[in-house]
Amino acid sequence: MAASSGESWQVFINFRGEELRGNFISHLEGALTLAEIKYYIDTKEVPSEDLTVLFTRIEQSEIALCIFSSKYAESKWCLDELVKITEQVEKGKLRIIPVFFNVTPEEVKEQKGEFGLKLYGEGKRKRPNISAWENALDSVPSKIGLNLKNFRNEREFVDKIVDSVKRVLEVIPLNGISKDLSSVSDSNGNISSSHIEQPKALPLDYGMEQRLKQLEEKLDFDSLETQIVGIVGMPGIGKTALAEMHFKKWNNRFVFKKIIRVIREEINDESDWLKDTLLNGKELNHKAQNFKRKIFVVLDDVSHKNQVKFLLKNLEWIKKGSKIVITTRDKSTIAELVHDIYIVPGLNDKDALELFKHHAFNDQDSSKTGNLLKLCKKYVDYAGGNPGALKELGKELCGEDEAHWEARLATLPHCCNPKIQSELRISYDKLSEQQKDAFLDIACFFRSEEEDYVKCLLDPYGPDSSEVVRDLAEKLLICISAGRIEMHNLLCTFGQELGSSDENKSGKRMWNHEKIKNTLRSEQIILSQRIKKVRGIFLDTSKLEDGIPIDPDIFIERFNQQNLRYLKVYDSVCPKQCDVDCKVNLPDGLEFPFQEIRYLHWLKFPLDELPPDFNPENLIDLRLPYSKIKRVWEAVKETPWLKWVDLSYSNKLTDLSALSKAFHLRRLNLEGCTVLDKLPEEMKNMKSLVFLNLRGCTMLSSLPERLDLVSLKTLILSGCSKFINFELISENLEFLHLDGTAIQNLPWAIQNFQKLVLLNLKDCKMLKFLPECLDKLKALEELILSGCGKLTSFPDTKEKMENLQILLLDGTKIKELPNILLHSCNFKGQVVLHRSPGMNGLSMLRRLCLSRNEEICSLHSSISQLYHLNWIDLKYCKNLLSIPTLPPNLQCLDAHACNSLKEVASPLALLMPTQKIPCSFIFTNCEKLEQDAKKEIICYAHNKSRMISDALNRHNKVFLYHPESSSTVQIILIMFCFTL
């Protein structure tokens, strides 16, 4: 019997009839009928009626049941129905329940596998309306829906579908469908609370729904396997709130369900408290009723492995299908127990701002608060998305005036909110003494420093520092990002405040300039100042109004000699050269007998050398930039741990012999030491040296004879204007800067630099020749010869330099294009453009600069076969007469002011289909350019434009537009400029 036009339906079934009608769909119809659910299926229509009538039935329905099967995408009817369904969903007039029958959600969403083949055909054939179909399929949630593979049989699957439909019908309001109309059922068939019409979420719930969805991806409540998931995060991030939301949503599936709170307060030994809690005091045996049933348990705030040891030992007793969620601040406590971990992220800026305003303005309209709203954003930035901090800071500021907000903001980085401090203190108190010291050192001194560097400073003698850093990361007190140690603002403030107190066994960390200034004053010593146990001093002199004259005995009188490890005198406003002298003055010298000093950084150190009693036995990092030293210290001293030395711009330094025994040195920076004329012969023993910077050492003429630095990767001699003799042995050298030196040639031994990537010879005015062994540098990617005015030829190389990408020859007198570029182009009888770009033999050259060369007259025709070349600079090549056919991927040709240029080849450049390469060909001030050449340039521009246009048209035929996407199609431009 045909359906009438005025009827309404609870469920519209969208499916591939040929595949499912006679079996699965018939069972589903029976189950829906039995459940008294009014459904629509296409058999209810007269066969001759038009397809558009089905669209009306979709509009009359409350729920669309979309059953995706392997042959679904064959049917134009199914796909057109799906497009209509998604339109209704977007309008808020329909709910959709995806059902995956022998296909995966990924295959449907991404149109791949057999499902994708049915959509596109074996040859990905074009079908009408393909773009709309792809958009509709793409909107199907990949992790939400009912999947046959998660059920034991089709009967159970059908029952679950019917149950899901009933649950959705229960939450649809009487006055219509709610606005939230995304999929209603998760991978286990449960209806998400986000699909229930609810009042606006409280501000404390901002961001929680998204977190809850992410957590639910870790747990499958229909799985027959026991799953244990950890929720991990720093204090205040919302672990407990998230676990409680999750428990509230899913606990109705279990008979035994329990939240065990604040477990960290329990003892850490192997007591039976957890067993007693889970088993109600009974023994674990076959009579333990609670473990005979599936359980859902949340263990909140676990702080020690022993607190969950009972579970780890007795997992086999827990019934399959149970779910356990554990929240903790320390990943290591649950690493052996959990199957997966969810690290709770901070709130995004929008949610964080709303949450903060809710508490700061007592949930009142904050749009009229003027400058306070700008201050809000600064507080939110500081809190870093931590909900607990946003709440406490907001409550602290609530009701205060703008002046108070400004004043508090100034103290925020160094004065922790009491309640935030109390929460963070819980984590700190559980650390070992070594972990506490490392945490405080990082918070006060070494935040954002490189991981390896910090490990060396913390403990250079063994692997303990690596373990300590790893432990702090596991406890979420630090994080490692891009090789650097980072710390949340809240933790940094807490650490700085605690580190500067007297309660630390290892000593205070002094960073407050006022306190340091008062301590270093040379006035009469009062009893409370007599001896301080200090671990580190970081004095920012930019914050001092006047200089501080230091008595030579001040450090001995004020600080315990066995504690001081770190001393830094710096200027945060002017970290390099300034006209202002150092504000820490040593008019009568200095005594400094500190045995544990590891880090000494003193900008503009005012003495000729470090004090005679300075002991570098434990020194790791020495930095004295812009100092007045003439030598580091008087005699050669043992420096077994010294790894970093920076004496840059110490323009009185003449003697480096003090470092003769720095055998483990990694980096040495002597840039700008303008009177240093030689390096010690003992440098050959620095087998760990990786980086040597001698830039601007204008008196230096050579390196020590037969210098062998096996680990050296970077050598900088830029601007060493008297440097004439380059000799070095180093098999690992990667970057060599000889620009601005007086060298006349390179030694043949350079061929041994098999790892050399960059060779910079810019402005070597005396350079006349390059060795013919240059082609032995197989790793070379960049060769810079700019400004080598006496260089007239390129060596006649025999081998290919396949990795060379940048060749700069501007300002040289080379007369023809180096044959190094042409070796790779000799493919007899073959057209290069038909070969693979990655094929062996093709040059990788991308940039070629010949500008201001007054000798070169033409370019070799083989340049057209340099497939990867995309930039050629010919500016001011005054004698250049013609340009041959150019490579196909060229993006920029600059021939500005080539005064003699008359001809260009026809075609100007080889054309290849492309979608995204913009081109800029510049022929300005080419006064002798012939008319035929101009026509050829214009012709090439037209052909290139047409090709790009065709490529864009092909692209747009399959381009899918998503309104929420910020992506746009790039507009491709070609620009030709020349004087007519």
Side-chain angles (χ1 to χ4, degrees), residues 744-745 764-771 785-796 809-819 850 852-857:
Q744 296 184 16
N745 53 57
C764 289
K765 304 295 186 181
M766 307 303 293
L767 183 67
K768 297 179 180 180
F769 308 102
L770 293 174
L785 296 166
S786 307
C788 295
K790 292 188 177 183
L791 188 64
T792 58
S793 64
F794 205 85
D796 186 14
L809 299 169
D810 48 308
T812 67
K813 293 187 177 180
I814 291 176
K815 296 181 179 179
E816 58 184 23
L817 198 64
N819 65 358
L850 295 166
R852 300 185 186 276
N853 183 305
E854 298 183 4
E855 303 295 328
I856 198 162
C857 296

Side-chain angles (χ1 to χ4, degrees), residues 305-410:
K305 293 179 181 179
N306 287 341
Q307 294 169 342
V308 291
K309 203 167 188 178
F310 169 74
L311 283 179
L312 186 60
K313 286 184 175 181
N314 299 286
L315 283 176
E316 71 277 5
W317 285 90
I318 299 175
K319 186 171 182 180
K320 296 292 185 182
S322 295
K323 310 298 172 188
I324 300 172
V325 174
I326 304 174
T327 74
T328 182
R329 305 176 179 195
D330 184 353
K331 286 190 288 186
S332 65
T333 61
I334 59 173
E336 299 176 11
L337 181 62
V338 299
H339 302 113
D340 205 347
I341 285 178
Y342 176 64
I343 299 178
V344 184
L347 298 179
N348 61 39
D349 290 345
K350 179 182 177 182
D351 289 335
L353 182 60
E354 292 302 316
L355 177 57
F356 176 76
K357 290 193 297 184
H358 170 75
H359 292 286
F361 301 112
N362 202 19
D363 202 22
Q364 296 179 2
D365 182 16
S366 60
S367 61
K368 301 178 182 179
T369 56
N371 192 48
L372 286 183
L373 194 56
K374 295 180 181 178
L375 293 174
C376 279
K377 295 181 180 179
K378 295 182 179 181
Y379 280 95
V380 168
D381 287 343
Y382 169 78
N386 186 291
L390 291 163
K391 173 184 174 182
E392 295 303 331
L393 290 173
K395 290 167 66 176
E396 178 186 338
L397 295 167
C398 186
E400 301 290 349
D401 60 19
E402 185 175 323
H404 179 87
W405 279 51
E406 293 274 12
R408 181 65 180 101
L409 188 64

Side-chain angles (χ1 to χ4, degrees), residues 434-435 438-439 442 449-459 463-480 483-486:
Q434 190 179 16
Q435 290 169 343
F439 171 75
I442 293 169
E449 293 285 0
E450 292 183 0
E451 179 185 5
D452 290 341
Y453 175 72
V454 175
K455 287 178 180 178
C456 284
L457 290 176
L458 294 177
D459 184 9
D464 289 352
S465 63
S466 295
E467 295 178 5
V468 169
V469 170
R470 184 196 64 221
D471 291 343
L472 293 178
E474 289 286 297
K475 298 176 188 299
L476 282 300
L477 295 174
I478 62 172
C479 69
I480 312 298
R484 294 183 178 271
I485 294 181
E486 302 294 349

Side-chain angles (χ1 to χ4, degrees), residues 33-91:
T33 301
L34 191 62
E36 299 183 343
I37 295 172
K38 188 177 180 181
Y39 65 93
Y40 175 85
I41 192 169
D42 56 11
T43 55
K44 296 181 181 289
E45 292 296 339
V46 176
S48 61
E49 288 196 26
D50 188 80
L51 173 63
T52 54
V53 74
L54 299 178
F55 294 168
T56 302
R57 303 297 175 245
I58 292 172
E59 293 172 352
Q60 294 170 342
S61 301
E62 296 176 284
I63 298 171
L65 199 58
C66 296
I67 304 173
F68 299 101
S69 57
S70 60
K71 295 184 179 180
Y72 179 98
E74 278 185 341
S75 170
K76 176 182 179 299
W77 282 33
C78 287
L79 294 167
D80 286 339
E81 288 176 6
L82 181 63
V83 171
K84 180 64 176 180
I85 288 168
T86 56
E87 290 174 356
Q88 290 296 104
V89 168
E90 290 171 0
K91 293 177 182 177

Side-chain angles (χ1 to χ4, degrees), residues 558-696:
R558 296 288 197 270
F559 306 118
N560 187 312
Q561 295 182 29
Q562 303 303 315
N563 287 95
L564 189 64
R565 288 190 176 196
Y566 318 118
L567 174 61
K568 181 175 183 178
V569 180
Y570 68 106
D571 188 325
S572 62
V573 175
C574 184
K576 295 188 177 181
Q577 182 62 50
C578 292
D579 294 333
V580 181
D581 290 332
C582 180
K583 293 181 181 179
V584 179
N585 303 312
L586 304 172
D588 299 308
L590 178 69
E591 292 187 23
F592 201 86
F594 293 92
Q595 306 297 316
E596 291 297 321
I597 193 73
R598 298 184 181 185
Y599 174 95
L600 177 60
H601 180 179
W602 197 314
L603 181 69
K604 301 179 183 177
F605 183 71
L607 302 181
D608 290 346
E609 61 186 29
L610 289 172
D613 59 351
F614 183 84
N615 186 348
E617 183 178 343
N618 292 301
L619 189 64
I620 297 170
D621 188 359
L622 175 64
R623 305 188 195 187
L624 303 173
Y626 297 93
S627 70
K628 295 183 179 180
I629 62 168
K630 296 179 180 179
R631 60 184 178 184
V632 182
W633 43 69
E634 183 177 1
V636 177
K637 298 182 180 182
E638 298 289 337
T639 53
W641 303 107
L642 188 59
K643 292 180 172 63
W644 293 276
V645 172
D646 182 358
L647 305 174
S648 58
Y649 297 98
S650 297
N651 54 22
K652 294 185 179 182
L653 180 68
T654 59
D655 185 1
L656 270 181
S657 60
L659 300 178
S660 295
K661 292 189 176 181
F663 301 142
H664 301 288
L665 199 62
R666 294 183 186 176
R667 293 177 65 92
L668 177 57
N669 187 0
L670 299 170
E671 179 174 344
C673 295
T674 52
V675 298
L676 182 68
D677 60 358
K678 65 178 179 178
L679 302 176
E681 294 292 331
E682 291 80 5
M683 277 194 71
K684 64 185 178 183
N685 297 318
M686 296 179 181
K687 300 301 183 183
S688 298
L689 192 64
V690 174
F691 177 90
L692 176 58
N693 184 3
L694 298 163
R695 183 191 302 272

Side-chain angles (χ1 to χ4, degrees), residues 13-32 39-43 65 67 101 154 158 161:
I13 305 178
N14 165 245
F15 69 105
R16 180 70 169 114
E18 177 185 329
E19 186 177 15
L20 302 177
R21 194 184 304 276
N23 41 65
F24 178 76
I25 292 298
S26 62
H27 299 312
L28 178 61
E29 284 189 83
L32 291 170
Y39 65 93
Y40 175 85
I41 192 169
D42 56 11
T43 55
L65 199 58
I67 304 173
F101 189 93
E154 288 187 16
V158 167
I161 293 173

Side-chain angles (χ1 to χ4, degrees), residues 414-459:
H414 308 303
C415 183
C416 204
N417 174 281
K419 289 190 177 180
I420 297 174
Q421 184 183 58
S422 177
E423 275 298 309
L424 298 178
R425 186 72 192 231
I426 294 169
S427 295
Y428 176 81
D429 286 342
K430 292 186 178 296
L431 299 178
S432 67
E433 290 302 319
Q434 190 179 16
Q435 290 169 343
K436 288 178 180 178
D437 283 340
F439 171 75
L440 296 178
D441 284 349
I442 293 169
C444 294
F445 301 142
F446 302 121
R447 184 185 186 189
S448 297
E449 293 285 0
E450 292 183 0
E451 179 185 5
D452 290 341
Y453 175 72
V454 175
K455 287 178 180 178
C456 284
L457 290 176
L458 294 177
D459 184 9

